[in-house]
Amino acid sequence: MEAFLISTGLVSLAEIGDKTMLLAILLAAAWKRPLPILLGILAATLANHAFAALAGSVLARFMDGDWVRWGVGVAFIGFAVWALVPDRFDEKPDMTEKTFAGVFWTTTAAFFLIEMGDKTQVATAMLAARFQTLPLVVAGSTLGMMLVNGPAVLLGETAAKRLPLTWIRLAAAAGFAATGFWVLVAG
């Protein structure tokens, strides 16, 4: 259960203000079709984070316990620094297709691709390496993504303008740093 809760919390904090959240707001504002957008985000996140968790788990099997601990700990401290850098979304996707299936597949593809190498994907890999419980890590990281992107889709641009993103980024950085130090110290 610890893996699930930590994955949910860290990914939620890391996702606020992230480029995928900005994409969710952009898609919601352009298409005004929340259900296929939410389902597309869910499908993309499940696939992407399952891949990341599997990669993190495999990596952990080839590394000695101390190497995993130091790698995960240092990675989370790096995520703390990374979380302080605000994301922006410069490219506007093509908004011509408005069918349910078109919105769903466009959202799924866009989210899957934009999430590649993102801090939430890398964090999912590191959490899987640390906890070795793929289903709980994937479920937690997916829930974390949906807890942030769901309201972003439903509230659209209004939420983005009213959230104190600077303070949220600082909280995310503190959470990542605390996790990194905890992993290094608790070993």
Side-chain angles (χ1 to χ4, degrees):
M1 193 59 156
E2 179 184 26
F4 175 78
L5 295 174
I6 290 174
S7 297
T8 301
L10 285 176
V11 169
S12 292
L13 283 173
E15 182 61 16
I16 297 174
D18 194 64
K19 64 184 173 273
T20 47
M21 180 186 169
L22 299 177
L23 177 61
I25 292 167
L26 177 69
L27 294 174
W31 281 327
K32 296 170 183 48
R33 303 279 311 261
L35 184 58
I37 293 170
L38 289 170
L39 291 174
I41 293 169
L42 178 61
T45 301
L46 281 169
N48 194 293
H49 287 200
F51 171 75
L54 181 61
S57 179
V58 168
L59 178 65
R61 290 174 196 217
F62 291 107
M63 296 176 68
D64 179 72
D66 282 337
W67 282 101
V68 171
R69 182 172 58 87
W70 279 96
V72 170
V74 170
F76 274 103
I77 292 169
F79 296 151
V81 174
W82 191 359
L84 295 173
V85 179
D87 281 329
R88 36 182 245 277
F89 189 75
D90 293 330
E91 295 180 32
K92 187 175 180 181
D94 178 21
M95 300 294 176
T96 57
E97 182 63 55
K98 296 194 189 321
T99 66
F100 186 95
V103 171
F104 170 80
W105 286 113
T106 301
T107 301
T108 301
F111 261 79
F112 185 84
L113 292 174
I114 205 167
E115 185 66 9
M116 294 301 283
D118 194 56
K119 66 182 163 274
T120 52
Q121 183 196 38
V122 178
T124 299
M126 294 296 104
L127 287 162
R130 170 71 172 103
F131 291 110
Q132 291 293 307
T133 54
L134 272 63
L136 291 177
V137 169
V138 172
S141 66
T142 300
L143 177 60
M145 289 283 284
M146 296 311 292
L147 285 173
V148 173
N149 288 310
V153 169
L154 297 174
L155 300 175
E157 291 181 84
T158 304
K161 291 177 184 172
R162 295 184 189 242
L163 288 173
L165 295 180
T166 300
W167 288 104
I168 293 168
R169 265 195 300 282
L170 289 172
F176 278 126
T179 302
F181 287 118
W182 172 72
V183 167
L184 292 173
V185 173

